[in-house]
Amino acid sequence: MRIGELAERFGLAPHVLRHWESMGLLAPATRVSGRRQYTSDHFVRVMTILRAKSAGMSLEQIREVLGVPGQKERREILERHHAELERRLHEIAASKALIEHIMQCQADDFTQCPGYRRLAESEAGGWNLHENVCLVEDRPV
């Protein structure tokens, strides 16, 4: 398939594929009559690049994973990225819990809601947000 066809299948502009070729992420396509011709291997590679990008990897990280010579080295790189994804998932889950609470909360000022403050405390590493604060009147005790 030609560059425009491959790019269109993924909703990309053709210049993105050219850029990836220049970075070494995508092997240069064979030229037939001066036009790039891409194969199913290129299709799989583009899908892999896009999936890695959606997982938060930079193009440089993707190039490293795709270019590393051995499985052991690739696994080490991916284990580091996996740990980062796990950290981000935890942050997303915590943010989601706070937002869900706010959507359900009946308090005029949700930041003073005891339930919200308990959720916030759990994210504050055990720091007691109730200490020396009157939750009802928001004044020091």
Side-chain angles (χ1 to χ4, degrees):
M1 71 188 88
R2 293 190 312 253
I3 191 168
E5 295 168 322
L6 180 60
E8 186 177 313
R9 286 192 178 201
F10 292 100
L12 300 170
H15 71 85
V16 172
L17 299 181
R18 288 187 204 98
H19 175 66
W20 291 352
E21 279 186 16
S22 72
M23 286 188 68
L25 286 166
L26 193 59
T30 305
R31 291 196 179 258
V32 176
S33 301
R35 293 177 177 251
R36 289 175 168 93
Q37 291 294 313
Y38 293 92
T39 66
S40 60
D41 288 343
H42 289 100
F43 183 91
V44 170
R45 186 79 163 211
V46 170
M47 185 277 308
T48 302
I49 294 166
L50 290 173
R51 182 59 48 216
K53 281 184 59 164
S54 71
M57 295 180 82
S58 68
L59 292 178
E60 291 75 21
Q61 289 172 317
I62 297 167
R63 180 176 53 207
E64 184 181 14
V65 168
L66 292 173
V68 73
Q71 184 179 17
K72 180 181 181 239
E73 294 86 357
R74 181 173 45 250
R75 182 171 181 85
E76 290 170 359
I77 294 166
L78 291 173
E79 283 175 349
R80 286 192 307 269
H81 191 69
H82 184 269
E84 175 61 16
L85 284 176
E86 287 293 333
R87 185 194 63 76
R88 286 175 44 209
L89 283 171
H90 175 75
E91 286 182 2
I92 289 168
S95 296
K96 183 176 179 255
L98 288 172
I99 289 169
E100 288 170 347
H101 182 87
I102 294 168
M103 289 187 323
Q104 302 290 321
C105 188
Q106 300 297 311
D108 288 334
D109 180 356
F110 68 87
T111 65
Q112 297 307 309
C113 169
Y116 182 82
R117 293 180 77 83
R118 277 191 298 278
L119 286 170
E121 275 179 17
S122 70
E123 286 303 305
W127 188 50
N128 187 351
L129 301 178
H130 300 289
E131 189 172 33
N132 298 327
V133 175
C134 172
L135 292 179
V136 177
E137 297 178 23
D138 192 19
R139 61 182 171 82
V141 244

